[in-house]
Amino acid sequence: MTTTPAIYVDADACPVKDETFRVAARYGLHVYVVANSLLNLPREPWIERVVVGDGLDAADDWIAERAGPTAIVITADVPLASRCVKAGASVIAPNGKPFSESSVGMALATRNLMQDLREAGVVTGGPRPFSRQDRSAFLGALDRAVNRLRRSR
């Protein structure tokens, strides 16, 4: 866990990496882009590519080990969000929805229920497509999280 504010991106399927980079550049924050494979990223000294092993939760484990009160974590992975919220990090989904102590339990329960329904063949569809409104909501949520973190320092 670091004492310097930083953004950790669960990057393998993250649709808002570019937006994260824009906000981080504006505020001078370091971004760790964590993935299981090599991603094409801008070459900036404040963007750090972290390629973890192929293990099922390798990226999640790397992020969760570093999450704390000065971290902002970008992920759609509810179990990872839960771990990071418990560590005191600000956690935001790519659609702009912040995870909190009060919301992450319900999100986990919903995720587990939907997984069970999909495995039973009852639910075959996935989430709705990512939209411009989601992108806009994410930018607003990330900006609020950064400012909250800066005020608390």
Side-chain angles (χ1 to χ4, degrees):
M1 179 172 30
T2 180
T3 58
T4 305
I7 299 174
Y8 296 87
V9 180
D10 183 11
D12 282 321
C14 180
V16 291
K17 288 186 285 291
D18 290 337
E19 291 77 6
T20 301
F21 301 151
R22 282 200 320 260
V23 172
R26 183 179 330 132
Y27 292 107
L29 297 176
H30 197 88
V31 178
Y32 296 90
V33 182
V34 186
N36 293 101
S37 61
L38 198 58
L39 298 174
N40 190 20
L41 301 174
R43 292 180 185 211
E44 298 288 348
W46 46 270
I47 298 175
E48 187 171 332
R49 177 180 304 150
V50 179
V51 179
V52 296
D54 287 335
L56 184 60
D57 292 325
D60 296 0
D61 291 342
W62 194 95
I63 293 169
E65 288 168 8
R66 289 155 182 83
T70 61
I72 298 172
V73 177
I74 311 303
T75 187
D77 184 304
V78 179
L80 174 59
S82 177
R83 292 170 67 187
C84 295
V85 164
K86 287 177 184 166
S90 298
V91 184
I92 306 168
N95 65 4
K97 179 185 173 218
F99 289 97
S100 66
E101 291 267 347
S102 61
S103 71
V104 78
M106 181 59 80
L108 271 171
T110 301
R111 173 200 173 270
N112 293 339
L113 173 64
M114 294 306 290
Q115 183 176 349
D116 290 346
L117 290 173
R118 276 190 297 278
E119 288 171 0
V122 176
V123 176
T124 57
R128 65 179 174 74
F130 193 75
S131 69
R132 276 194 339 244
Q133 290 85 358
D134 292 330
R135 200 171 301 280
S136 178
F138 171 78
L139 282 166
L142 181 55
D143 198 65
R144 285 188 297 279
V146 169
N147 281 305
R148 212 173 19 255
L149 191 62
R150 290 174 74 201
R151 280 192 305 272
S152 69
R153 290 183 62 205

